[in-house]
């Protein structure tokens, strides 16, 4: 089993696509600001899942999943900012996808911690 088999990884890739599509509509003045930050945080999410799962250590995997969780929080915050300044409407579908990924990351970390404690 590799990271490519993890449902949370697959959903994270979908979120990256959604973020790229969404930020295409941002003003050009944001290319090096919010657009860039959102895209970097989005790409970081599945990248950390992939890197952590490839490390060969459960502790490392958990550490990288924590970084992925941080990236997800960053994405959510930046989407709220984008909505507050009028660039987007932070719709329920996108919010629900973020919540689903957050829950999946949490459950995966819990399972890995349980494995460590055995």
């Amino acid at each position: 089993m590799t990271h490519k088999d993890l449902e949370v990884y697959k959903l994270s890739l979908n979120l990256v696509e959604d973020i790229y599509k969404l930020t295409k509509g941002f003003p050009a003045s944001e290319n090096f600001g919010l657009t860039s930050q959102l895209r970097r945080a989005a790409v970081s999410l599945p990248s950390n899942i992939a890197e952590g799962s490839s490390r060969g250590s459960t502790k490392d995997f958990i550490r990288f999943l924590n970084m992925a969780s941080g990236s997800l929080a960053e994405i959510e915050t930046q989407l709220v900012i984008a909505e507050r300044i009028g660039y987007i409407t932070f719709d329920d579908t996108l919010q629900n996808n973020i919540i689903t990924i957050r829950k999946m990351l949490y459950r995966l970390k819990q399972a890995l911690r349980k494995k460590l404690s055995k």
Side-chain angles (χ1 to χ4, degrees), residues 20-117:
Y20 267 77
K21 289 174 189 170
L22 186 68
T23 55
K24 277 185 182 179
F26 283 17
S29 63
E30 287 294 348
N31 281 348
F32 300 104
L34 200 51
T35 300
S36 176
Q37 283 183 295
L38 255 168
R39 288 178 175 184
R40 274 197 314 264
V43 168
S44 162
L45 177 61
S47 299
N48 278 312
I49 295 168
E51 185 172 356
S53 73
S54 320
R55 287 290 178 129
S57 151
T58 303
K59 279 186 176 181
D60 275 344
F61 194 9
I62 293 168
R63 189 167 59 86
F64 277 88
L65 290 175
N66 283 330
M67 287 188 266
S69 295
S71 294
L72 189 61
E74 235 183 297
I75 292 164
E76 187 173 30
T77 299
Q78 292 163 0
L79 289 171
V80 168
I81 291 167
E83 181 176 50
R84 290 181 71 156
I85 58 180
Y87 293 165
I88 63 165
T89 300
F90 193 3
D91 66 21
D92 288 343
T93 303
L94 191 53
Q95 181 65 52
N96 288 337
N97 290 345
I98 289 169
I99 290 168
T100 299
I101 293 168
R102 180 182 298 116
K103 287 177 180 177
M104 291 175 87
L105 285 170
Y106 178 77
R107 285 193 305 268
L108 181 53
K109 287 186 284 186
Q110 275 189 315
L112 291 169
R113 285 186 187 110
K114 192 173 183 177
K115 180 181 168 185
L116 271 180
S117 66

